[in-house]
Amino acid sequence: MTPVVFTVFGEPASKANSRKIVRHPGTQRPMVIKSQKARDYLRDFEKQCPVCDPPLEGELAVTMTIYYASRRPDLDESLILDAMQGKIYVNDRQVREKHVFH
């Protein structure tokens, strides 16, 4: 299989720390949404990520290097794996091997 190689500029938010509680405008019920940083990153990712047509199927291995502005953020690739869903592969559950570097 030919590897899919690409670069996305921007600093991803940690999926675990990128949630925010807001009130639904109509019902005022609390709901959890992605933080503004996570939404901004996903918007930028969408513009920069290539599209495999058709998306890859079967079990996959992923290698990625994530660059952060400081050493503080936890290494968290989950938002990126979610963002590649439907563009690179069908579902992020296909990823059976990960090599992730900070």
Side-chain angles (χ1 to χ4, degrees), residues 59-76:
E59 294 182 349
L60 301 170
V62 172
T63 301
M64 66 177 76
T65 302
I66 303 171
Y67 295 93
Y68 294 103
S70 71
R71 292 183 161 270
R72 184 169 178 180
D74 293 338
L75 181 60
D76 185 358

Side-chain angles (χ1 to χ4, degrees), residues 45 80-93:
F45 189 96
I80 298 168
L81 293 172
D82 286 348
M84 290 193 298
Q85 199 166 256
K87 291 181 138 316
I88 302 298
Y89 42 70
V90 177
N91 191 294
D92 62 351
R93 283 178 271 167

Side-chain angles (χ1 to χ4, degrees), residues 6 9 12 14-15 18 22 33 43-44 72 80 84 87 90:
F6 61 97
F9 295 95
S14 167
K15 188 174 178 182
S18 67
V22 297
I33 64 170
R43 183 198 63 230
D44 293 344
R72 184 169 178 180
I80 298 168
M84 290 193 298
K87 291 181 138 316
V90 177

Side-chain angles (χ1 to χ4, degrees), residues 12-70:
S14 167
K15 188 174 178 182
N17 299 325
S18 67
R19 301 286 184 213
K20 169 176 153 174
I21 298 174
V22 297
R23 296 209 175 269
H24 186 276
T27 64
Q28 294 302 308
R29 288 190 341 218
M31 55 190 264
V32 180
I33 64 170
K34 290 181 177 84
S35 69
Q36 188 62 50
K37 180 179 179 179
R39 291 193 313 264
D40 290 345
Y41 179 77
L42 289 172
R43 183 198 63 230
D44 293 344
F45 189 96
E46 175 88 15
K47 294 175 187 174
Q48 299 177 62
C49 182
V51 176
C52 292
D53 188 22
L56 301 175
E57 294 189 39
E59 294 182 349
L60 301 170
V62 172
T63 301
M64 66 177 76
T65 302
I66 303 171
Y67 295 93
Y68 294 103
S70 71

